[in-house]
Amino acid sequence: MKRLLLDKLLEARRGKLETVLVTNIESGQQCLVIDGKADGDFKPDAELFAAIRKALRDDRSGLYEDRWFLQVFNPPLRLVLVGAVHIAQALAPLAQMTGYDVVLIDPRKAWATEERFPGIRCVDSWPDEAMSDLALDRRTAVVTLTHDPKLDDPALLAAIKSPVFYIGALGSTRTHAKRLTRLRAEGASEEALARIQGPVGLSIGAKSPAEIAVSVMAQITQVLRAAPPLTPGDTA
């Protein structure tokens, strides 16, 4: 790799930017695609750009048309949970197993403890302050779980102003409608509010905290992979 491309690749990784190194395995020519912009020995055509976007979405490096090697450098996935509740106790380790760095926000210090959330980074700031410090990006998902507007609403307002790929809020359809009314009063647009998955999670008939965690993690994965709903005969 040329030194100039290497320096740009390292800079992109420090900045946690979506990056793909594209190599023509016949000629050895290379280009970097950083946040959709190509730089290097050549410019990818529309078909190659589509393959690059798919590689990023799938988070998978590999050959394309036996000519191009697409090496993906995605920033780490991250899940920000607001609320140290029972569902968070099930969802946090499940997210870790799925490859996410998990951050738990709850100013109620008696709830967000190492004993209840072993191995999870707990932040005891108020959600709006904590979200600002976390620098939310496109590889981040945010889920609010408290049912408390004082905690959930500031977190959701911060999330809809950011490029996070997923926003979910726990609560019934009625609760969510009231939530949207409050957020509109705070100036949130309909387009921004439409980004919030509420009630959060796929409809699988979940009842227990663990089942709800499964439904939430499944929906996050569905959005991340831009996967269409399964049809009869499909497999996950």
Side-chain angles (χ1 to χ4, degrees), residues 13-24:
R13 298 206 69 187
R14 285 193 294 271
K16 297 183 178 181
L17 301 176
E18 293 178 338
T19 304
V20 177
L21 175 64
V22 185
T23 302
N24 184 319

Side-chain angles (χ1 to χ4, degrees), residues 33-78:
V33 178
I34 302 173
D35 271 358
K37 298 179 180 178
D39 187 4
D41 299 327
F42 58 89
K43 300 292 184 185
D45 60 21
E47 290 185 359
L48 183 52
F49 256 120
I52 290 167
R53 286 193 291 271
K54 185 176 187 307
L56 280 169
R57 189 169 61 246
D58 294 344
D59 205 6
R60 182 176 299 173
S61 302
L63 273 177
Y64 172 67
E65 290 191 340
D66 294 328
R67 181 183 178 194
W68 308 100
F69 186 75
L70 311 181
Q71 190 169 2
V72 175
F73 296 91
N74 262 327
L77 291 164
R78 181 171 52 170

Side-chain angles (χ1 to χ4, degrees), residues 1-41:
M1 174 187 284
K2 295 178 181 177
R3 179 56 187 264
L4 180 60
L5 281 185
L6 176 60
D7 289 343
K8 290 184 177 181
L9 173 60
L10 295 176
E11 183 179 353
R13 298 206 69 187
R14 285 193 294 271
K16 297 183 178 181
L17 301 176
E18 293 178 338
T19 304
V20 177
L21 175 64
V22 185
T23 302
N24 184 319
I25 61 175
E26 296 171 351
S27 67
Q29 290 183 311
Q30 292 183 312
C31 85
L32 276 176
V33 178
I34 302 173
D35 271 358
K37 298 179 180 178
D39 187 4
D41 299 327

Side-chain angles (χ1 to χ4, degrees), residues 40-174:
D41 299 327
F42 58 89
K43 300 292 184 185
D45 60 21
E47 290 185 359
L48 183 52
F49 256 120
I52 290 167
R53 286 193 291 271
K54 185 176 187 307
L56 280 169
R57 189 169 61 246
D58 294 344
D59 205 6
R60 182 176 299 173
S61 302
L63 273 177
Y64 172 67
E65 290 191 340
D66 294 328
R67 181 183 178 194
W68 308 100
F69 186 75
L70 311 181
Q71 190 169 2
V72 175
F73 296 91
N74 262 327
L77 291 164
R78 181 171 52 170
L79 174 60
V80 176
L81 298 176
V82 178
V85 297
H86 291 312
I87 295 172
Q89 286 181 289
L91 182 53
L94 182 59
Q96 285 183 318
M97 285 189 286
T98 318
Y100 288 74
D101 290 332
V102 180
V103 180
L104 175 68
I105 300 172
D106 199 319
R108 301 168 294 187
K109 297 180 181 179
W111 293 41
T113 64
E114 171 66 21
E115 290 73 22
R116 297 186 70 226
F117 295 92
I120 302 296
R121 178 187 171 193
C122 297
V123 178
D124 59 10
S125 305
W126 284 90
D128 49 346
E129 299 172 2
M131 302 280 269
S132 176
D133 293 339
L134 289 172
L136 304 176
D137 59 26
R138 287 188 293 182
R139 297 276 288 173
T140 299
V142 175
V143 178
T144 62
L145 298 167
T146 74
H147 288 299
D148 184 344
K150 295 194 304 295
L151 298 177
D152 286 353
D153 289 4
L156 292 170
L157 286 170
I160 62 177
K161 295 174 184 174
S162 77
V164 298
F165 75 89
Y166 177 92
I167 306 169
L170 185 69
S172 66
T173 301
R174 183 178 178 184

Side-chain angles (χ1 to χ4, degrees), residues 184-230:
R184 283 190 193 97
E186 294 293 331
S189 69
E190 294 302 319
E191 182 181 7
L193 294 177
R195 297 177 60 199
I196 303 173
Q197 304 282 349
V200 68
L202 295 183
S203 178
I204 60 173
K207 300 294 184 185
S208 69
E211 291 172 344
I212 294 171
V214 169
S215 75
V216 173
M217 206 61 238
Q219 189 175 52
I220 292 173
T221 304
Q222 182 185 52
V223 173
L224 174 69
R225 304 302 183 198
L230 292 177

